[in-house]
Amino acid sequence: MEILGASLRICVDDLDTAIPFYERLAGGRAMRSERGGVQVAAVGSFLLMSGPEAELELLRKVTATIAVKDVDEAHRLLTDLGAHVLAGPVPTPAGRTLLAMHPDGSVFEYVDHRS
């Protein structure tokens, strides 16, 4: 499995207020989207999320988002290594995603991007 990078997941009260800080910090522009009632902004290595507390409570349990070349390959390797796939792979507007709990109990999101 080829890991392309990782994003730090940060829940914020107000996305519009938080974005300028992270754009200056990361030196790039935010790419915004919405998923399940949660507003999301990707800025460099930061993934900012804002929305209903019930949704954010679940999102806070995910340690990080790992970008991989191929989610299917990640699925096979994670399963072989004893991880428990909690959800996915499922399609998203940008590619596919899956949630997996590692044997140590930590939860990660794995994503790939399709053009």
Side-chain angles (χ1 to χ4, degrees):
M1 171 179 70
E2 185 176 346
I3 296 176
L4 305 174
S7 296
L8 305 170
R9 299 166 65 92
I10 303 167
C11 295
V12 299
D13 291 331
D14 184 342
L15 206 57
D16 292 326
T17 301
I19 285 175
F21 172 84
Y22 285 96
E23 284 181 333
R24 297 260 335 260
L25 183 65
R29 301 284 303 163
M31 294 189 322
R32 295 180 73 145
S33 63
E34 182 178 341
R35 193 160 119 197
V38 175
Q39 298 291 318
V40 178
V43 187
S45 294
F46 301 100
L47 190 60
L48 310 175
M49 298 172 288
S50 183
E53 186 55 39
E55 295 291 327
L56 295 180
E57 183 179 339
L58 292 171
L59 294 172
R60 285 187 182 103
K61 294 178 181 179
V62 179
T63 302
T65 298
I66 309 295
V68 296
K69 188 171 184 175
D70 184 344
V71 162
D72 291 329
E73 183 181 352
H75 184 271
R76 284 189 297 275
L77 180 59
L78 288 162
T79 302
D80 288 348
L81 293 173
H84 177 67
V85 174
L86 302 171
V90 296
T92 70
R96 295 172 301 158
T97 184
L98 71 81
L99 284 177
M101 181 184 295
H102 293 187
D104 63 10
S106 56
V107 177
F108 290 86
E109 177 184 36
Y110 290 83
V111 300
D112 64 15
H113 296 284
R114 303 287 179 200
S115 50

